[in-house]
Amino acid sequence: MLLWEAALPWLNSKPTRFSGGKTTRSSVPAKPKVVSESPLTLTKEAVDVPSVAIPAKQPRKDLVLLIEGIEDDPQINNKFDVIINVPKEDAGKVGPKVCEYAGSFTAVPSSNAAGGTLVGKVTLFIDGVLEDLGLTGESAVDIVLVPHTDEIKIYLPPTIENA
C-alpha cells in the first residue's frame, strides 16, 4: 500500500445498498413504458419514471443516463437527485452513500439572471451504479427523480445511451 492510499480511505471504498430498495428485475424483460406526462414537473414529491430502456453496451463506450430539457429558474437554487430501482416513497431516503444513487442535477443562482428560465441537461455515467446493483445485462431500470426545490420542468423523458 502506498502512503497516499492510506491517507485516502475512500479511494477503495464501495457504497452500501439501500435496505428498502428493489434492485432486481424479473427474468422476463420489461417492456419500456413511455412516460405520458409531458413535461414532468418536479415539485415537492418524487417522480417515478418506470422502465427506462438500457441499450446493449457497445465496446469502449460508457452507459450514461441523459436527462435533457430541464427548465429551471436561474434566480434560485435548483436541485434534484436521480435514484435507480428504489420505490418512489423510499427515494427521498437515498443519498450519495448508497449504490442506488446515480447523481444530481444542481444549478446555483446567478446574479446576472434577468428573469425567465434556463433549459439545460445532465449526463450521469451509470456503468458503476448498474454494476454495483447487479443490473448489468438488464433491459430496463426504474428511475426516480427526487426534487429539492419548488419547481423544475423536464420536457424530454430520461434515456440511457452509449457515450
Side-chain angles (χ1 to χ4, degrees):
M1 179 186 308
L2 299 172
L3 180 59
W4 61 272
E5 287 177 332
L8 304 172
W10 53 266
L11 190 61
N12 296 315
S13 68
K14 290 279 187 184
T16 58
R17 299 282 294 261
F18 178 66
S19 59
K22 59 169 188 177
T23 58
T24 59
R25 293 194 159 273
S26 68
S27 58
V28 178
K31 292 182 181 176
K33 297 178 188 174
V34 176
V35 178
S36 59
E37 288 182 44
S38 184
L40 290 174
T41 301
L42 305 182
T43 53
K44 293 289 183 190
E45 190 174 309
V47 174
D48 189 22
V49 183
S51 299
V52 176
I54 302 172
K57 186 164 169 61
Q58 296 175 359
R60 296 185 308 271
K61 299 248 180 173
D62 294 312
L63 288 175
V64 297
L65 175 63
L66 181 61
I67 304 173
E68 295 181 286
I70 303 169
E71 182 182 73
D72 63 87
D73 181 348
Q75 296 180 331
I76 63 171
N77 284 319
N78 295 283
K79 181 179 180 186
F80 64 85
D81 293 334
V82 181
I83 313 300
I84 294 180
N85 276 18
V86 172
K88 176 180 164 179
E89 57 275 4
D90 292 332
K93 302 172 192 168
V94 174
K97 293 184 178 183
V98 297
C99 298
E100 293 83 356
Y101 179 85
S104 292
F105 168 83
T106 304
V108 297
S110 171
S111 61
N112 295 330
T117 59
L118 294 177
V119 177
K121 70 178 182 176
V122 63
T123 303
L124 303 170
F125 290 87
I126 61 167
D127 278 332
V129 175
L130 297 176
E131 184 179 318
D132 289 344
L133 295 175
L135 297 173
T136 53
E138 291 292 328
S139 61
V141 292
D142 296 333
I143 305 293
V144 180
L145 306 174
V146 182
H148 294 281
T149 53
D150 285 338
E151 187 171 321
I152 297 175
K153 290 184 180 175
I154 301 175
Y155 288 97
L156 299 171
T159 59
I160 298 174
E161 301 175 357
N162 284 284

